Amino acid sequence: MEERFNNRIDELKSMFLRHRGREESQSDACSPTTSINHRPQMTSTQLPRPFRVRDVVCLKSIMNPSETVAKGIIQSIDPSTEVGGEELGPNWCEVSIQVAVKKDERLIRSYGFHKTIYDAYGATVAWPCPYVELESVDEM
């Protein structure tokens, strides 16, 4: 089962890399409204603001996007920022993990000893912006 899970992670990484190559570069900001099938369409007056450094956010599972796996603080949205020796690239952000909600969730981009959300508690991780949401006041 673990091998199947690891294969799925590899497939998803490949999908992200292919998708990233087709996306427009967003060097100034990482928008939380990046198109993803499970999100409702919004009019321009309803669009949330782009992410900013120091925003408190929820990281969503790539396997189940309705599930929060961690809460953290955005450290960078600059595509040239390196996390674990790899540049973020467009539409990714660097987030410091403050609360590990689903401790066994595997990181999309693991590095060093950081393989799961729990491993990365207190450290920073790279997370794709479509799976990052601003934390609402109700959740605080």
Side-chain angles (χ1 to χ4, degrees):
M1 182 172 202
E2 185 176 337
E3 182 178 333
R4 193 172 68 168
F5 182 76
N6 288 334
N7 289 340
R8 181 69 177 145
I9 292 290
D10 290 340
E11 285 176 35
L12 291 168
K13 283 181 182 179
S14 295
M15 285 173 37
F16 278 118
L17 292 174
R18 284 193 308 271
H19 190 259
R20 182 170 72 179
R22 291 191 305 259
E23 292 174 340
E24 295 176 8
S25 175
Q26 295 182 348
S27 60
D28 292 333
C30 191
S31 173
T33 59
T34 300
S35 69
I36 189 165
N37 293 336
H38 72 277
R39 297 203 180 183
Q41 291 293 330
M42 298 180 158
T43 65
S44 60
T45 58
Q46 296 173 309
L47 293 175
R49 66 172 172 74
F51 294 132
R52 292 187 281 216
V53 172
R54 294 187 300 279
D55 277 345
V56 177
V57 294
C58 296
L59 303 185
K60 299 298 185 173
S61 169
I62 59 170
M63 303 299 251
N64 180 5
S66 64
E67 182 177 36
T68 297
V69 298
K71 294 183 182 185
I73 300 169
I74 291 184
Q75 299 299 309
S76 179
I77 53 175
D78 178 354
S80 66
T81 298
E82 288 190 12
V83 177
E86 185 178 348
E87 284 190 357
L88 287 176
N91 217 18
W92 285 71
C93 54
E94 177 185 23
V95 179
S96 65
I97 305 295
Q98 303 298 308
V99 178
V101 176
K102 188 175 178 200
K103 297 176 180 178
D104 61 343
E105 181 82 6
R106 301 213 19 118
L107 298 178
I108 299 167
R109 291 186 186 173
S110 59
Y111 67 96
F113 293 110
H114 305 301
K115 307 289 184 216
T116 65
I117 290 291
Y118 182 75
D119 296 337
Y121 173 75
T124 63
V125 298
W127 210 260
C129 291
Y131 294 91
V132 176
E133 291 183 0
L134 290 171
E135 185 172 52
S136 68
V137 176
D138 297 339
E139 295 179 46
M140 297 176 117

